[in-house]
Amino acid sequence: MNMKKALSLMLVVFFVVSLMLVVGCEPAEEPEPEPEEPEEEVEEPEPDEEEEVGPVRWTIASGWVAGVYYPISGAMSRVAYENMDNISLTAEASGASVANARLIGTKDAELAILQNDIAYYAYNGIEMYEDEAVPEMRGFFTLYPEHCQIVASADAGIENPGDLAGKDVAVGPLGSGTEANAVQILEAYDLTFDDLGSVERITASEAADFLRDGRIDAAFFTVGLGAAAIEEVAIVKDVEIVTIDDDKIDWLIETYPYYSKEVIPADTYSGVPESTTVAVLAMVVGHADLSEDLAYEFTSNIFENIDTIHGAHERGTLITLDTALEGMPIELHPGAERYFQEQGLVD
């Protein structure tokens, strides 16, 4: 084969191969995609109409751990734990009456135990609460008497509060309920602190020490009968509880309606004779915003399980349904009021 024929044959072969490559490189026709089936809607589970809710947490402010308020409030906490599914009640130690009224006002406590005279002051914005009234405080029930006890050295020549003139006297801490009681009892005898020889604003335990050591002639205590601080003095020193005259008691009750007349039996303290005085009442208060239904449940369960309260402290035995509204100085909480209406104690 000559050169020209060979070259022509090669060109033909190249053309044929090129044509095959071009045809083979055209993209194949893609099949049309099948229509997608719609996704099935997944139904979200509907929430329960009423979710299970735990108990409402309340705090009850009491007093010093060594006092009476604390074990009484602890017993109330126990009643709640054993009988109330809707309330979890925690007893908290505190500075007692004056501080407890303020805790209600700031809503740092839902309930509190305090003296009924302090509740009256706070509710009406008088005495130590002139600038911080707590009108939203409501009463639940009263508990037991707290006697105003003027303990004097037997050799101090003090037969009635009028004889405190010129004497060295402890009147309770500044701004305390005891101090307010001292002011009012002295007022019944036309005396003020300025008429005393000296005024000591100290705690009950400090007053007991001062009496025992002879640094003061007398001391005011507003506490339940059988107070340890007074007994500790009585067992080592001759003392007496100063009697308040009947006409002065009548004046005090008329002027300050939260007072009641009380007798302190002989030998309540070692070797101390009988005396007559006035008393305020310990009571339970709460904030007006508390649920009426929960307040009703709390009040009813306390009195339906009163044996638990009676077993907490000797003073607890004085807490009864019959006396639950004695000395009530402020408006009742609607929940407590509903319970007492059912018991026929209020209209």
Side-chain angles (χ1 to χ4, degrees):
M1 183 180 295
N2 59 27
M3 182 62 68
K4 286 185 178 182
K5 286 183 179 181
L7 183 58
S8 297
L9 182 58
M10 290 178 63
L11 288 172
V12 172
V13 172
F14 176 76
F15 176 77
V16 172
V17 171
S18 299
L19 183 61
M20 291 174 64
L21 290 173
V22 171
V23 173
C25 287
E26 289 183 1
E29 190 174 323
E30 293 184 3
E32 292 184 8
E34 296 181 5
E36 295 183 1
E37 295 183 5
E39 293 184 4
E40 293 184 7
E41 293 185 5
V42 179
E43 292 186 6
E44 295 285 340
E46 294 184 5
D48 294 338
E49 291 184 6
E50 293 186 4
E51 295 184 4
E52 187 174 339
V53 179
V56 174
R57 297 184 180 278
W58 283 1
T59 294
I60 179 168
S62 57
W64 308 114
V65 173
V68 180
Y69 289 3
Y70 189 75
I72 295 296
S73 65
M76 292 180 184
S77 175
R78 181 179 171 189
V79 168
Y81 175 77
E82 293 178 346
N83 301 280
M84 305 180 209
D85 294 333
N86 295 333
I87 303 172
S88 173
L89 182 62
T90 301
E92 294 284 354
S94 72
S97 293
V98 174
N100 288 354
R102 294 188 175 109
L103 291 174
I104 294 296
T106 59
K107 292 189 174 182
D108 288 314
E110 286 73 28
L111 300 171
I113 301 178
L114 42 69
Q115 293 171 198
N116 66 341
D117 56 335
I118 300 301
Y120 181 84
Y121 302 152
Y123 182 78
N124 291 288
I126 59 177
E127 296 289 344
M128 66 284 289
Y129 298 101
E130 286 184 1
D131 298 322
E132 48 182 340
V134 190
E136 61 273 25
M137 180 187 292
R138 296 291 181 268
F140 275 70
F141 44 85
T142 54
L143 300 173
Y144 55 83
E146 294 196 321
H147 297 68
C148 299
Q149 301 174 64
I150 307 171
V151 183
S153 297
D155 58 1
I158 302 172
E159 295 184 1
N160 64 55
D163 295 329
L164 292 172
K167 305 295 185 181
D168 300 324
V169 184
V171 298
L174 181 65
S176 67
T178 299
E179 183 190 42
N181 300 146
V183 168
Q184 292 157 3
I185 291 170
L186 290 173
E187 181 186 4
Y189 287 85
D190 297 321
L191 297 176
T192 69
F193 286 168
D194 291 337
D195 296 309
L196 305 180
S198 66
V199 175
E200 299 290 345
R201 290 181 169 87
I202 53 180
T203 65
S205 60
E206 291 170 332
D209 290 339
F210 276 43
L211 267 173
R212 186 170 48 244
D213 299 341
R215 286 181 277 175
I216 55 176
D217 299 303
F220 283 82
F221 298 84
T222 299
V223 290
L225 293 185
I230 299 175
E231 176 62 14
E232 288 170 4
V233 179
I235 61 177
V236 298
K237 185 180 179 70
D238 289 336
V239 295
E240 58 187 19
I241 308 295
V242 178
T243 285
I244 302 176
D245 299 296
D246 286 343
D247 61 326
K248 304 302 184 183
I249 290 177
D250 292 341
W251 181 88
L252 282 165
I253 293 173
E254 182 178 352
T255 308
Y256 303 105
Y258 40 78
Y259 281 122
S260 62
K261 180 179 180 179
E262 299 287 341
V263 172
I264 302 176
D267 294 321
T268 297
Y269 305 100
S270 299
V272 178
E274 178 181 293
S275 61
T276 305
T277 186
V278 291
V280 293
L281 287 161
M283 65 179 293
V284 174
V285 301
H287 199 282
D289 287 350
L290 296 179
S291 158
E292 179 179 334
D293 288 342
L294 291 182
Y296 169 85
E297 182 177 349
F298 169 74
T299 306
S300 62
N301 272 282
I302 291 300
F303 288 100
E304 288 168 11
N305 298 279
I306 198 66
D307 288 347
T308 300
I309 310 300
H310 289 173
H313 191 278
E314 182 183 357
R315 304 300 293 168
T317 60
L318 300 177
I319 302 170
T320 68
L321 179 61
D322 290 339
T323 60
L325 296 179
E326 288 184 3
M328 177 59 65
I330 63 174
E331 182 180 349
L332 279 173
H333 191 285
E337 184 176 31
R338 192 210 307 173
Y339 174 73
F340 292 123
Q341 284 174 336
E342 291 179 355
Q343 304 307 309
L345 296 178
V346 294
D347 296 331

